[in-house]
Amino acid sequence: MADSKVMKLRRTLHQSGVVEMIETQFAGLPGPPGYPVRLVLLGLVCASYERTSGNLDDAFEIMTFGTSEKLRAHLSIPTCDIEDQDAVNALYNRFHRAWTRMNRLLDAAPHQRRSRLPRAAGRKVAAQWNSEHGQPALRRLEELANRLVTAPVRIAFVKGLMRHWRGDTAIDTTCVPTWARPHTRKRSALEASANWHYKGGGDREFGYSATLAIAAHADPDRAGRYPQLILGMVLHTPEKDMGRHAHYVSAVLAQITELRGFTAADRAYTKLLPENFHRPMRALGYMPVLDFTGPQVTSARAEGHHQGAITKVGRLFCPLTPRRLLDLYSQIRSAKNERERIPLRERLQEIEAYALTRKDTLDDRGTERFACPITKLNCPWAQEREGRGAPPKREPVPVVINLDAHRERTTHPASRPTVEPPTLPLAERPKCCRQSSVTVQAHVMPRTRQELPWQTPSWALAYQALRAHIEGGNGRLKSVDTALHARERRQPRGRVAQTLLSAITVMVHNIKELEQYLAASKQSAITGLDLEPNDVLLPYPTISLPVPPRPPVLSRSP
């Protein structure tokens, strides 16, 4: 490798802070220092950059024989005669022991991995990782992985490469297969905390799941104006704490930048408990853009009432909304493809006149105020209610209007739908009809409420764009240039090894993404990421620090 590339990767690695954290733990151990762990990590980064490999033999070859003599002297890299096989084997054993020692220091459940454990013993190892006892080691490992992944991201923010990014993100979980056979009835896998990752099409792979957050945009006009970096990563057991991991990567990002935008996730996240995903994400200031499952739209429990208003797909509708319009949501959910949904969405625009209008944003208790859609409907109940108060100062309704003026045409009473309510005394009418506005608590529709109403044109544009970005990011991570899906290129066993190697792979992917962006911007890919004397790198945030709250904002269309 060229010396300039090695030094660039070394600077990024040290700016992540991972080397200092691990060497601090090594400092208190007895015995000789052994092979420097900083060179082991640098070798793995170089192997991932040069050979798309996370195997120790490739890292050892690059560090020992793939660098110049001048660089080896500058970095104090141990070397030997390549013709002396015994010396090469001895040096590689030192290299391997340093890697093994680091893994044991970070492992929550150290055990031998040369043979498969009995199934009961394997379950105990997995429980140590996923239970409360293993949380300190798990949090430390998550921090190390995110330090690696976000090191290029923090550099990009300092260099101003993300100035055109508006804070929109997309979150998804992808499979990271491992070099191990799956569990059997009697024997556990060599990766004791791994399991089956089920894909959307019904296929499955054995390994871990990686929760990723990618920089995206809901506005198609912003394409190509910033590098689409992976903003965070957590490697975990499939289907374990998906909401907490999504909140973790978002909380780290929330302390790196003040930007908040839309956050898209697939239907697997919509089904999570509100306290695990929806409420924490909204508390950080992000605006979820979510799709709904069939039961959330078509089941009998999908529709209810609150304060007299009809609750459906996260919205409040007038009690007199026609049934044919409410049933359009079920038809859209049952549609097989986008060609069938487009005409249904056009018909769905009629229901906007019946939707309650948000009057006030969230307060400190998480409640909102919604007003009666009297400005969009001709309703005798609403007119009677308004007539009981002070006489409004209204101008006479014009008899002749200009049909070319959109505002004049749409605000005329003749253009509004007219409802015919039954004859009921005031005390028996729904509460939302007896008063001009109602209060909606935070616990009402916590999974389905979102800034962009479901299946509206703005929602469809934002959701499809953000989902396309995360799927494209997954595709780039699994391409031949990154090969995150190639288990043969990541053979070291253990959750610590798989987490560190996957994080290094994603970090190198971010570096290459920045290099391509700099090359497209006519800047130097080698020196474009170097910090100037007046540049201050943002420190890596700790999850224990409180995230500064952001004031609630009104919904914005992409």
Side-chain angles (χ1 to χ4, degrees), residues 8 49 511 514-516 518-519 522-529:
K8 178 183 64 176
Y49 185 94
I511 294 175
L514 289 174
E515 291 176 351
Q516 295 175 4
L518 291 172
K522 308 300 182 182
Q523 302 181 43
S524 173
I526 298 297
T527 62
L529 300 179

Side-chain angles (χ1 to χ4, degrees), residues 232-304:
M233 186 205 79
V234 173
L235 196 78
H236 55 91
T237 304
E239 300 182 1
K240 291 287 186 180
D241 297 334
M242 293 174 53
R244 191 192 65 81
H245 300 316
H247 174 253
Y248 178 83
V249 296
S250 300
V252 172
L253 179 63
Q255 297 183 53
I256 294 178
T257 175
E258 295 182 354
L259 295 174
R260 305 288 192 278
F262 295 113
T263 296
D266 59 12
R267 289 191 289 269
Y269 288 88
T270 309
K271 297 186 294 184
L272 297 176
L273 294 176
E275 56 269 19
N276 292 340
F277 177 71
H278 306 79
R279 291 171 182 165
M281 293 296 292
R282 292 190 179 100
L284 291 174
Y286 294 100
M287 296 176 285
V289 182
L290 307 172
D291 196 8
F292 301 146
T293 61
Q296 289 178 317
V297 180
T298 60
S299 67
R301 301 179 58 185
E303 184 176 322

Side-chain angles (χ1 to χ4, degrees), residues 36 149 238 342 408 527 539:
V149 172
I342 292 177
E408 186 177 348
T527 62

Side-chain angles (χ1 to χ4, degrees), residues 31-217:
Y35 198 96
V37 67
R38 57 181 175 84
L39 298 180
V40 176
L41 293 173
L42 180 59
L44 291 170
V45 174
C46 293
S48 179
Y49 185 94
E50 188 75 8
R51 302 185 183 180
T52 321
S53 172
N55 293 327
L56 295 179
D57 53 350
D58 292 325
F60 173 76
E61 289 177 2
I62 287 181
M63 293 303 296
T64 309
F65 309 115
T67 54
S68 66
E69 183 177 353
K70 179 181 178 181
L71 184 64
R72 290 197 295 269
H74 175 67
L75 299 181
S76 302
I77 301 176
T79 185
C80 63
D81 185 4
I82 194 173
E83 300 295 336
D84 189 347
Q85 190 61 43
D86 293 334
V88 173
N89 291 339
L91 186 58
Y92 176 73
N93 288 336
R94 293 181 59 204
F95 187 93
H96 192 279
R97 283 196 299 269
W99 166 258
T100 304
R101 200 178 190 185
M102 179 179 62
N103 276 261
R104 293 185 65 86
L105 279 175
L106 301 174
D107 202 334
H111 64 282
Q112 63 86 18
R113 293 185 175 86
R114 296 188 177 184
S115 60
R116 305 175 71 176
L117 297 174
R119 192 70 179 99
R123 286 195 180 98
K124 292 181 180 179
V125 172
Q128 292 185 34
W129 274 109
N130 299 320
S131 64
E132 293 296 331
H133 299 287
Q135 292 304 305
L138 189 59
R139 299 290 88 79
R140 183 169 59 249
L141 188 59
E142 289 176 354
E143 180 180 351
L144 290 174
N146 271 278
R147 279 181 175 271
L148 292 170
V149 172
T150 59
V153 177
R154 291 184 287 140
I155 295 174
F157 274 107
V158 172
K159 303 299 293 184
L161 302 180
M162 302 294 290
R163 60 184 177 275
H164 294 299
W165 177 61
R166 292 293 182 86
D168 297 334
T169 59
I171 296 176
D172 196 14
T173 300
T174 188
C175 180
V176 180
T178 61
W179 189 258
R181 289 182 295 174
H183 306 294
T184 63
R185 181 177 297 180
K186 296 183 178 180
R187 293 290 177 182
S188 177
L190 292 176
E191 296 285 350
S193 60
N195 213 326
W196 290 105
H197 176 97
Y198 290 89
K199 302 180 181 179
D203 298 334
R204 64 177 189 174
E205 278 192 279
F206 185 79
Y208 295 98
S209 294
T211 296
L212 303 171
I214 188 172
H217 53 269

